[in-house]
Amino acid sequence: IRFVNEGGIRAMELDSPIILHGIPWVDLWRAQARARAVQAVNAAIAGETGRFQGYATTMRGNRRFWDVAITPVFDEEGVVQKLLAIGRDLTEVNQSAVRLKLALDAGAIAGTWVWDDNSGLVIGDARLAETLGLDTQALQQGVPVTAFYDAIDQDDRASVAEAITQAVRMGGKCDFEFRVQTPSGLRWFEGNGRCDLNDERRAIRFT
């Protein structure tokens, strides 16, 4: 390691970048993550971009999950002289994905869905189809958003639509509650989603 920028200093919780100077970069990683780091470095030395994901510990002992890209820096003759490593801290994203999988495995989630603004369709999994009483194959391929609203108790449709409309307008998180008539009776559900906007403030994805 010859240089660490300000972002790297903050991400690795360094008191000074000098701490890492001269240390082999792959030594920041352990076990399987180290093996993937070595492969990525070898790819960059060969003139390609190496990528991998894995856990590494900061200088203050905090375990973080990183998405890493290593790119070669060439001289005027096209020979690799240096390697540039760029890492993104995806700890929260990775932990959310783990929690979601655990909740799904435990049956604590009634289904997951994605609304695609390009097609205008809602795509959901088999759990959601069962919850809403929709055809599983149709929902997995995509159904109009009206099918989603039609499955909700009539008294809750307006509040759900308002919450979703607000999220589409402003972006960010969206929370709402609704009832669905099931074979065992009327049941309450909680919906949690997030709407991503592009640079023009237009909704591009709602999950």
Side-chain angles (χ1 to χ4, degrees):
I1 297 176
R2 293 287 179 256
F3 173 76
V4 183
N5 68 4
E6 288 295 328
I9 293 173
R10 291 193 300 270
M12 289 301 293
E13 299 182 317
L14 300 173
D15 293 327
S16 169
I18 297 177
I19 296 174
L20 295 182
H21 284 184
I23 295 177
W25 181 80
V26 295
D27 287 350
L28 298 176
W29 309 89
R30 295 291 181 270
Q32 293 182 355
R34 191 181 193 280
R36 290 192 289 267
V38 170
Q39 291 178 347
V41 167
N42 289 337
I45 291 175
E48 303 175 355
T49 297
R51 297 180 181 276
F52 74 99
Q53 293 183 336
Y55 277 97
T57 304
T58 70
M59 293 300 105
R60 296 182 183 177
N62 294 313
R63 192 165 178 260
R64 312 296 292 176
F65 186 81
W66 305 94
D67 177 68
V68 183
I70 306 177
T71 56
V73 178
F74 301 95
D75 62 15
E76 295 180 353
E77 298 179 353
V79 178
V80 176
Q81 291 296 308
K82 302 176 182 178
L83 301 182
L84 174 64
I86 300 176
R88 293 188 300 157
D89 184 353
L90 297 183
T91 305
E92 293 185 5
V93 174
N94 183 64
Q95 291 177 345
S96 296
V98 171
R99 287 195 296 268
L100 175 60
K101 184 179 186 304
L102 290 173
L104 283 170
D105 291 343
I109 292 181
T112 59
W113 55 274
V114 176
W115 173 61
D116 184 356
D117 181 59
N118 291 324
S119 66
L121 300 177
V122 175
I123 301 171
D125 59 13
R127 290 174 184 263
L128 184 64
E130 182 179 358
T131 298
L132 300 180
L134 299 175
D135 180 76
T136 300
Q137 185 175 357
L139 184 58
Q140 290 177 340
Q141 294 177 350
V143 299
V145 69
T146 51
F148 179 79
Y149 287 123
D150 289 344
I152 298 174
D153 187 80
Q154 186 173 355
D155 292 338
D156 300 324
R157 293 173 189 171
S159 60
V160 171
E162 181 180 358
I164 291 177
T165 299
Q166 179 72 6
V168 170
R169 183 184 304 115
M170 303 300 296
K173 295 182 179 179
C174 177
D175 303 307
F176 51 86
E177 294 181 342
F178 61 93
R179 288 165 290 184
V180 173
Q181 186 66 48
T182 70
S184 59
L186 199 62
R187 292 185 58 190
W188 277 100
F189 293 92
E190 179 182 8
N192 306 106
R194 178 181 179 82
C195 185
D196 297 320
L197 308 180
N198 60 16
D199 294 338
E200 298 175 350
R201 305 296 295 174
R202 176 183 174 184
I204 55 175
R205 187 176 178 85
F206 203 148
T207 58

